[in-house]
Amino acid sequence: MERKDFKIEVCANSVESVKAAVEAGADRVELCAGMPEGGTTPSWGTIALAREMMPAGLHVIIRPRGGDFLYNEWEREVMLRDIDAARRIGADGVVLGCLTEDGQVDVRLMRRLMAEAGGMSVTFHRAFDMCCDPLAALRDIESLGCHRILTSGQQATAEEGIPLLRQLVAAARNVIIMPGCGVNGGNVSMIARETGAHEFHLSARMPVESGMRYRNTRVSMGGTVQVAEYGRDVSSPQKIKAVIDALLG
């Protein structure tokens, strides 16, 4: 492939990760908080600073909590206000997805959210991987006018999901199918070849040790949920470049 033939989106969990994506030459970021929960809406300050760092390609996840994608009336209002905030800051796109209780795309709610997004690009995120019928969901998402679908092919990783990803790429008429989850420099060329996809989503994170010298290991800020108190994960420009180089052949 030539560089113009594919696009790379980095799932950025912080401003540091946005910096890495820009440095490595990524086309776009999906800005998230709450990565252990699969990504939640980042803070106003994070979005604003990321906007200053990126001339284009800033997409913000709109997800008020972890867990499922069935939202109550209060969560829907939060999502509408978060979309408004992202638009006012100047985000280029939003990333969202809503389902009905029986695992179908919540077309009615999606229409409300997309109307609030105005002219911003809209990606339907991996709520797609929780749909009961992926081809019916594809048709619904296309009818809504979403620009792309982020999916692992309804499997734990995009590599495992290749059979469905290939089917989705072939069936899609006016939406981009973007494989994501476990995409790296070692498998991206094979995923591209086997699916026909041209956009790829990756986190490319690596662990960064805390600078704290004093450490109280008796206390966890996550309570019963075990988290790394003295470390964090940040996207690596080297790992992002490895994916780009692999696609360039």
Side-chain angles (χ1 to χ4, degrees):
M1 288 186 183
E2 296 182 17
R3 187 62 183 88
K4 64 181 176 60
D5 295 328
F6 63 88
K7 291 187 182 298
I8 298 298
E9 177 178 281
V10 173
C11 180
N13 62 340
S14 64
V15 172
E16 288 177 278
S17 291
V18 172
K19 181 177 181 294
V22 172
E23 179 183 330
D27 300 283
R28 192 167 57 238
V29 301
E30 178 198 28
L31 189 60
C32 304
M35 293 312 302
E37 296 179 289
T40 55
T41 305
S43 72
W44 189 98
T46 301
I47 302 170
L49 187 52
R51 173 75 289 174
E52 292 178 14
M53 297 173 67
M54 292 195 69
L58 175 62
H59 289 202
V60 177
I61 193 169
I62 304 298
R63 188 176 178 219
R65 57 165 173 77
D68 62 38
F69 303 98
L70 178 66
Y71 297 111
N72 62 37
E73 61 179 307
W74 303 113
E75 292 165 337
R76 295 172 186 178
E77 184 61 32
V78 168
M79 294 170 81
L80 288 165
R81 296 190 185 199
D82 281 341
I83 291 170
D84 177 65
R87 188 183 66 249
R88 289 174 182 270
I89 294 170
D92 301 293
V94 289
V95 182
L96 46 86
C98 311
L99 304 181
T100 64
E101 61 185 7
D102 56 358
Q104 298 180 39
V105 174
D106 189 335
V107 173
R108 184 176 178 181
L109 177 54
M110 284 295 298
R111 284 195 181 118
R112 287 182 62 198
L113 298 176
M114 291 179 71
E116 186 66 39
M120 288 193 290
S121 177
V122 176
T123 298
F124 195 99
H125 59 42
R126 290 189 64 214
F128 182 89
D129 291 323
M130 299 301 188
C131 290
C132 62
D133 184 337
L135 292 179
L138 170 62
R139 291 191 293 271
D140 285 339
I141 293 167
E142 286 189 315
S143 73
L144 286 164
C146 293
H147 294 86
R148 64 185 53 80
I149 298 171
L150 169 60
T151 173
S152 62
Q154 297 203 329
Q155 298 296 326
T157 67
E159 188 170 346
E160 294 174 70
I162 283 174
L164 178 57
L165 288 167
R166 182 189 302 121
Q167 189 177 6
L168 292 168
V169 170
R173 296 184 297 271
N174 57 11
V175 68
I176 296 165
I177 303 300
M178 179 170 61
C181 193
V183 175
N184 56 59
N187 63 17
V188 69
S189 294
M190 184 265 290
I191 293 171
R193 183 177 62 252
E194 294 295 324
T195 65
H198 292 272
E199 294 197 9
F200 305 92
H201 174 95
L202 53 136
S203 61
R205 287 191 290 272
M206 60 181 295
V208 175
E209 184 72 9
S210 168
M212 290 290 296
R213 290 192 296 272
Y214 172 75
R215 303 186 179 193
N216 182 0
T217 58
R218 299 183 301 276
V219 177
S220 171
M221 294 296 105
T224 58
V225 178
Q226 294 301 307
V227 296
E229 300 293 343
Y230 295 102
R232 65 189 189 282
D233 291 333
V234 178
S235 295
S236 159
Q238 291 77 22
K239 288 188 174 185
I240 300 167
K241 288 176 181 176
V243 170
I244 295 172
D245 290 345
L247 288 169
L248 290 172

